Amino acid sequence: MDDLTHDQFVAFLRSALHYFYDPVQLRRSPLVEILALTAEFDRATALQQTLTTAIRALKPAEDEPPQSSAWRIYDTLNLQYVRQLPRMAVATQLGISERQMRREQRVANEALAQHLLEAPDIGALRRDPVRGDAIRDVFQLVAAQHRFRHRNAP
């Protein structure tokens, strides 16, 4: 995991979310090592709890407008993974098409990845200050470039 890229981290996260309720797959997830969960007795539950906590931490303030991107990100993740609604039910509840739902999922996965990388208890990345600082710098640069591209898109 020494040469972990942002895209790899997001791919590992997307896979863990896909297998959110499959303990065998979660136990094998590279996120167990990346998030320093290898010492946990039940790695699958530890990863599931870590991801659930991260999703809940993305919940916007109550005074945030309901149509805001922050609520869409939170609702996309919470409804599909924590509350276990099918993708189409989530799309219906959000009032969007299935195609738009896929786009919202990509944005939500990126936001969750960024949150995990910035969390003070990220685990292995935070326990190794040299490696953690370098990786955080790369991810912050990539996130800034991503935000710039999307703000300046036609």
Side-chain angles (χ1 to χ4, degrees):
M1 295 298 144
D2 290 338
D3 297 323
L4 182 69
T5 67
H6 179 73
D7 290 341
Q8 287 172 320
F9 186 82
V10 172
F12 295 152
L13 177 60
R14 190 172 43 249
S15 177
L17 290 170
H18 180 75
Y19 294 110
F20 200 66
Y21 291 98
D22 182 341
V24 173
Q25 292 295 328
L26 283 183
R27 215 172 283 119
R28 296 177 184 160
S29 172
L31 289 181
V32 169
E33 181 182 342
I34 294 167
L35 299 176
L37 302 172
T38 54
E40 297 292 330
F41 175 73
D42 186 348
R43 294 174 181 179
T45 299
L47 179 55
Q48 188 181 57
Q49 288 173 344
T50 299
L51 295 176
T52 300
T53 300
I55 289 168
R56 289 187 174 141
L58 293 175
K59 184 176 182 178
E62 293 299 322
D63 61 346
E64 182 78 23
Q67 297 80 16
S68 70
S69 64
W71 273 110
R72 279 196 320 272
I73 287 168
Y74 172 73
D75 286 338
T76 298
L77 294 167
N78 185 56
L79 293 172
Q80 186 162 8
Y81 301 112
V82 178
R83 294 186 52 201
Q84 303 180 50
L85 295 179
R87 183 188 307 189
M88 281 307 300
V90 175
T92 300
Q93 186 154 345
L94 295 177
I96 59 177
S97 68
E98 186 174 0
R99 187 174 185 178
Q100 181 64 29
M101 178 65 193
R102 285 192 298 270
R103 287 190 289 266
E104 293 293 337
Q105 278 184 306
R106 280 193 296 275
V107 170
N109 288 347
E110 289 279 342
L112 183 59
Q114 193 63 35
H115 174 75
L116 285 166
L117 292 167
E118 292 173 353
D121 58 351
I122 185 69
L125 297 178
R126 297 291 184 187
R127 291 190 185 125
D128 181 351
V130 173
R131 182 171 164 236
D133 287 344
I135 290 173
R136 270 192 310 281
D137 290 346
V138 168
F139 286 125
Q140 287 172 352
L141 176 63
V142 170
Q145 290 170 341
H146 178 75
R147 285 190 300 270
F148 179 78
R149 280 195 307 266
H150 287 286
R151 278 191 206 130
N152 296 319

